[in-house]
Amino acid sequence: MDNCKSNKRQWYAFTHGDPLIAENYFRTNVQPAFEIGERICAVYTKDNGIHPRGFTNEMKSIIADALVTGIPQPTNAVPLVLLKP
């Protein structure tokens, strides 16, 4: 059986390295500010403790879209990826 927290989402701050690797994010207790920028700030994904579980292809695509556009993604829903200058 999966962890009972698996349906809950949590903010994870990007700290360093490749933004497509989940281990490069750490759980944060605060919601990051929305920004237009060039670098990943944080992702909002399934709660899995200190690091998010590995990213799905869909999440990797959303991260890539944010990097290419420089705006939080997705734009048609609650943002899951935030950026910073």
Side-chain angles (χ1 to χ4, degrees), residues 17-49:
D18 185 338
L20 299 178
I21 298 175
E23 289 79 19
N24 294 338
Y25 294 79
F26 284 83
R27 186 177 181 176
T28 181
N29 294 319
V30 296
Q31 180 174 347
F34 289 76
E35 294 278 345
I36 293 175
E38 305 155 354
R39 298 177 291 153
I40 299 294
C41 175
V43 297
Y44 191 58
T45 191
K46 288 184 180 180
D47 187 352
N48 192 50

Side-chain angles (χ1 to χ4, degrees), residues 3-75:
N3 186 332
C4 64
K5 297 189 298 183
S6 65
N7 291 327
K8 181 180 168 193
R9 290 182 179 264
Q10 179 67 39
W11 282 106
Y12 288 89
F14 178 64
T15 58
H16 69 283
D18 185 338
L20 299 178
I21 298 175
E23 289 79 19
N24 294 338
Y25 294 79
F26 284 83
R27 186 177 181 176
T28 181
N29 294 319
V30 296
Q31 180 174 347
F34 289 76
E35 294 278 345
I36 293 175
E38 305 155 354
R39 298 177 291 153
I40 299 294
C41 175
V43 297
Y44 191 58
T45 191
K46 288 184 180 180
D47 187 352
N48 192 50
I50 191 116
H51 299 285
R53 191 170 305 190
F55 295 134
T56 64
N57 286 336
E58 179 181 8
M59 187 61 164
K60 288 179 182 179
S61 180
I62 293 169
I63 292 169
D65 290 349
L67 289 169
V68 169
T69 63
I71 57 175
Q73 294 293 324
T75 57

